[in-house]
Every structure is written in C-alpha cells, then in structure tokens.
Amino acid sequence: MAPTRRDVMRLGGVAAAVALFPAVAVADSNGISQAIAAFTKGAMALEAGLSLEVPEIADNGGAVPVRVAAAGARRIALFTDGNPYPGVVVFEFGRFTPPAATIRIRLARSQSVIAVAELADGTFRKASRAVAVTVGGCA
Amino acid sequence: MATPKPRIRLPKSVEAGVPFTVRTRITHPMHTGLRRDRDGELIPRRIVNRFTVRYNGEEAFSAALEPAVSTDPYIQFELSLPESGVLEFEWEDDDGSIYSLRREISVV
C-alpha cells in the first residue's frame, strides 16, 4: 500500500523532532545537568571505563541496588534524572580501597541512573542506565 | 525514632593486598523532607548524610548521602590492606548524632 499523505506528515514530524533534539540523552527536569557540571567543574566526561550495574526492571523503587566501578577512580557520584533532587551519593576512595561500591537507592518512577567518575589523572568518565520502576519509591 | 543501629560484615582474617568485601548497614528512616504524615504535615528531613571508614586513622572510604538513598542505608565496598590494624566506621546523622563501630582486622 502506498503511504498516505497523513503517514508522510507523521514521519516528517518524528524526523523533525529527532533533528531538533539530537543530543538529548537525559531529561533535565530536576537540574541533573547542573549537578553533574558541579561535580565535573564543567569538564567533559568520556563514556567509557565506568561500569554501572542497575537492574533493568525494579519492582520496588524504594530499594534499587546500584553497583559502580571504575579503574583509577578517586570519586564516583550517582545521579538520577527523575527524582525530585538529582544527587544520590558521592563515593570517595582512598589508597586502601579499590574503586567499586554498591548502594541501594530510591527511584520515584522509571528514569535513568547516571554515574560519573573522577579519575586520579583528573579526567572524568560517565555511564547511564535506564530503569523501569514498577512501584515508585518515595524519594 | 528508635536509635539507629549500625552493622558491618567483614572477614575475621584477610590476606595482605587481597581485596575483600565490606557490607555495612544502619537502621535509619532516611526522611527525605518531602513526605507528609497522616495529618498532612511535612515530615522534616532527617537522613544519614555521611559515612566514613578509617584504617589505622587514615580515611579509606567515604560516602556523602542524599535523601535518594534508601531507608536503612546499605553500602558495600572493598578494602585491600597491607597489615593488621583497626577499622573505624562512622555514620553522621542530620541531627548531629554520630553512630560508630570499631573492628580490629587481622591481615595474614
């Protein structure tokens, strides 16, 4: 069947939306961009070298296990883009602590968890995972 | 509120330079300051805002916590120690209280 004019218009609308917002990886309804910029002091974060483990589906948003690890990291911060406040935790690792940690966090609804690591050489790494939350935690 | 009770789990003895896991938890409501009680009154924020671990007096690990951390904060991390020593764990409450635990660890 040949596409109708309506189909073509619809496709055009989607294409325009994608073209207008190409780099929108995370929604910024809670100030997460500013929070991350405060942590990195505006430096770019490379999307590599940081492991972020979060369940894809969380039945209980009140306690979602999150594990982060990044070789050579001095600090690792966790953020969310759909909680009332973006910050969750900042871990700091000393010379006796391999840079890896696990914590249980609250997710008010389905959203993304973002980890940012500051390495000992002063550069930053970033990773992001979407989590579908069945019952939201009161964050 | 009941007095928060901290707990940690770590091996009795560990090998020098071999990482081992430390599991920590403290009973605490972690009030976000955003929820209301049955009468519609806001429950004031009260969380554990910082967790610190020291090895022979030197800071080895810390976590700065926000209200998005779950009730009864659970934190797991690793340590790799060169010799036997003392581990001190400290949780800081918004109300100024400090809850602490101290463990001697033998490194073989």
Side-chain angles (χ1 to χ4, degrees):
Chain A
M1 194 181 85
T4 63
R5 180 175 181 279
R6 191 170 293 173
D7 287 338
V8 173
M9 292 300 283
R10 227 180 250 148
L11 274 175
V14 171
V18 171
L20 277 171
F21 307 102
V24 177
V26 290
D28 195 4
S29 56
N30 67 353
I32 184 175
S33 302
Q34 272 182 312
I36 292 177
F39 181 74
T40 62
K41 295 172 192 76
M44 288 289 295
L46 203 68
E47 301 221 9
L50 170 57
S51 151
L52 169 61
E53 293 168 38
V54 192
E56 278 176 31
I57 299 170
D59 288 331
N60 173 16
V64 182
V66 179
R67 179 181 165 78
V68 287
R74 203 158 46 183
R75 296 192 301 156
I76 301 180
L78 281 178
F79 303 92
T80 60
D81 67 358
N83 276 352
Y85 303 116
V88 178
V89 68
V90 179
F91 298 116
E92 235 178 295
F93 307 95
R95 61 189 172 117
F96 302 112
T97 318
T102 302
I103 191 166
R104 289 183 193 144
I105 71 169
R106 291 167 168 155
L107 295 177
R109 56 185 172 84
S110 296
Q111 56 184 298
S112 289
V113 175
I114 294 93
V116 182
E118 181 187 10
L119 306 193
D121 64 8
T123 63
F124 291 86
R125 300 290 184 271
K126 195 169 125 182
S128 167
R129 295 277 177 279
V131 187
V133 176
T134 315
V135 179
C138 306
Chain B
M1 185 182 113
T3 306
K5 187 176 162 47
R7 288 193 193 94
I8 55 169
R9 277 185 63 187
L10 73 173
K12 279 209 175 68
S13 101
V14 298
E15 273 183 69
V18 176
F20 61 93
T21 300
V22 183
R23 295 179 173 86
T24 75
R25 191 169 198 190
I26 184 165
T27 57
H28 196 285
M30 295 293 279
H31 289 308
T32 62
L34 300 172
R35 293 179 66 189
R36 291 176 187 278
D37 63 17
R38 278 185 196 145
D39 303 323
E41 298 291 324
L42 272 181
I43 304 167
R45 174 185 140 144
R46 184 178 169 193
I47 67 168
V48 169
N49 58 58
R50 193 171 167 78
F51 170 64
T52 314
V53 181
R54 285 188 197 83
Y55 166 65
N56 290 341
E58 178 180 335
E59 191 166 307
F61 175 80
S62 76
L65 283 61
E66 301 290 339
V69 172
S70 302
T71 304
D72 301 341
Y74 171 88
I75 298 175
Q76 179 187 314
F77 60 97
E78 288 166 41
L79 282 172
S80 169
L81 305 179
E83 56 186 30
S84 299
V86 174
L87 291 169
E88 292 164 291
F89 303 81
E90 207 172 88
W91 291 259
E92 295 176 45
D93 194 305
D94 272 350
D95 74 356
S97 309
I98 289 178
Y99 319 105
S100 54
L101 283 178
R102 187 176 182 278
R103 289 278 190 283
E104 287 183 18
I105 185 143
S106 95
V107 176
V108 294

